[in-house]
Amino acid sequence: MNRMKKRIKKIGIFFLLTASLAAVEIQNTEDAVNIAGKQRMFTQRMLKDYAMVGMGNTFGTPGKDLQQTIDAFTDHLKLLKAYAKNDAIKKSLDEIEVQWKPLRKILQETPNLSKVEKLQGDLEALLTASDKATKLFAKETGKNSGEIVNMAGRQRMLSQRMASLYMLKVWGVKDPKFKLKLDDALMLFKSSLEKLEKSPVNNEEINALLAKVKRSFVFFEMMNRSKSKFVPTLIYKKSNDILKNMNSITELYVKIESK
């Protein structure tokens, strides 16, 4: 039974990353906000997986997950470019594509500790560019729904960002801004979670999922306060738990606000 549960969880994450693109067409701008928001999350998930592979940690098959995420980022970008209507969004997506092409090649090479600091910076720039595109799509909705989908989707990214920062530290990357970056991610996640909990559009399903996310997030707050080292596999698992639940929440917001 436990093996079956683990397999189902793996399938669930795999579907989250690759639920594509044959099955997921962009029906409206809320969909575009959701998919563009996933791109932000992918930048941090790829960094997390890259560090796990570099450390030789095979929990969650990070090598396989990394390749799936690389493919998903590429497919999502094509989908967004096909849907984009205004010039500002098209230009933003073109800029992402220029940044992505060399990064894709580096991410498929054997992870190297000496290269990861530059890779982190480049993925940070890709995250910024992806965030810009997401906000442009959110603005195009012309209503508050775009913002709530954007915020919920950003929580997916923050779950992976918190984990990737910790993985890099465990791997041995000396980042003088590590504490500041982690604190900023934690504060933004917490404040956004509080806003989502108060949203008037929430239903019972969303509230139940938000409660699960809140319980998982406590783990990251404990990790940040503790002077002890946490096992990377626990960080990996908790970040995936939050990702899975926040992805479900984001898609529920899309459905509600698209009506």
Side-chain angles (χ1 to χ4, degrees):
M1 181 63 73
N2 287 336
R3 283 185 181 179
M4 181 60 71
K5 285 182 179 178
K6 287 179 182 178
R7 179 166 176 76
I8 289 169
K9 280 190 175 182
K10 285 183 180 179
I11 291 171
I13 293 294
F14 174 80
F15 183 77
L16 163 66
L17 295 176
T18 59
S20 115
L21 297 181
V24 178
E25 289 187 7
I26 299 180
Q27 302 292 334
N28 49 53
T29 312
E30 284 81 10
D31 276 342
V33 176
N34 179 26
I35 292 171
K38 279 188 181 180
Q39 300 290 77
R40 298 178 296 193
M41 177 270 288
F42 287 149
T43 68
Q44 303 305 291
R45 187 175 183 87
M46 289 185 285
L47 185 59
K48 180 182 77 171
D49 283 333
Y50 185 93
M52 286 284 281
V53 175
M55 288 187 286
N57 193 318
T58 59
F59 179 81
T61 58
K64 181 179 179 181
D65 189 81
L66 176 58
Q67 185 57 56
Q68 290 170 353
T69 310
I70 290 168
D71 293 341
F73 190 99
T74 302
D75 290 343
H76 278 71
L77 184 56
K78 289 178 183 175
L79 194 64
L80 290 166
K81 291 190 73 174
Y83 178 79
K85 295 179 175 64
N86 72 55
D87 290 341
I89 293 177
K90 288 178 181 178
K91 182 180 178 182
S92 178
L93 294 172
D94 285 342
E95 290 170 357
I96 290 171
E97 188 170 40
V98 169
Q99 293 179 21
W100 172 237
K101 285 182 178 178
L103 273 173
R104 182 181 181 182
K105 182 178 179 181
I106 293 168
L107 285 162
Q108 290 176 311
E109 296 173 353
T110 302
N112 188 319
L113 185 59
S114 66
K115 294 181 179 180
V116 74
E117 288 188 56
K118 184 179 185 308
L119 177 62
Q120 181 186 19
D122 290 341
L123 284 170
E124 195 87 10
L126 186 64
L127 168 60
T128 300
S130 298
D131 186 54
K132 178 183 175 182
T134 306
K135 289 175 178 175
L136 286 171
F137 276 118
K139 185 178 179 181
E140 196 177 50
T141 65
K143 50 187 179 180
N144 291 335
S145 61
E147 183 51 38
I148 197 166
V149 172
N150 174 34
M151 186 184 299
R154 188 177 62 200
Q155 297 290 76
R156 298 177 298 197
M157 178 277 290
L158 290 170
S159 74
Q160 302 305 291
R161 181 167 176 76
M162 292 183 292
S164 67
L165 287 169
Y166 192 81
M167 296 304 178
L168 291 176
K169 182 181 180 181
V170 173
W171 194 12
V173 176
K174 306 296 183 184
D175 184 351
K177 295 183 179 179
F178 166 79
K179 189 70 168 62
L180 178 63
K181 289 177 181 178
L182 186 58
D183 284 346
D184 285 348
L186 285 161
M187 284 191 291
L188 182 55
F189 189 97
K190 186 173 184 177
S191 63
S192 299
L193 182 58
E194 289 170 353
K195 289 177 183 177
L196 292 172
E197 287 175 323
K198 296 174 183 176
S199 173
V201 305
N202 289 0
N203 56 30
E204 287 186 13
E205 187 176 4
I206 288 174
N207 285 331
L209 288 168
L210 285 171
K212 288 182 178 180
V213 169
K214 193 170 187 176
R215 288 195 293 272
S216 295
F217 178 61
V218 168
F219 177 86
F220 284 91
E221 292 182 305
M222 290 170 56
M223 174 201 75
N224 195 38
R225 291 193 298 264
S226 175
K227 293 182 180 179
S228 302
K229 284 189 176 181
F230 280 75
V231 179
T233 52
L234 289 175
I235 302 289
Y236 196 94
K237 181 184 182 304
K238 291 295 183 181
S239 69
N240 280 354
D241 289 344
I242 293 176
L243 171 58
K244 182 180 177 182
N245 287 322
M246 282 309 313
N247 189 64
S248 297
I249 291 165
T250 304
E251 292 180 353
L252 286 168
Y253 280 135
V254 170
K255 289 179 182 177
I256 291 170
E257 296 295 341
S258 299
K259 290 179 181 177

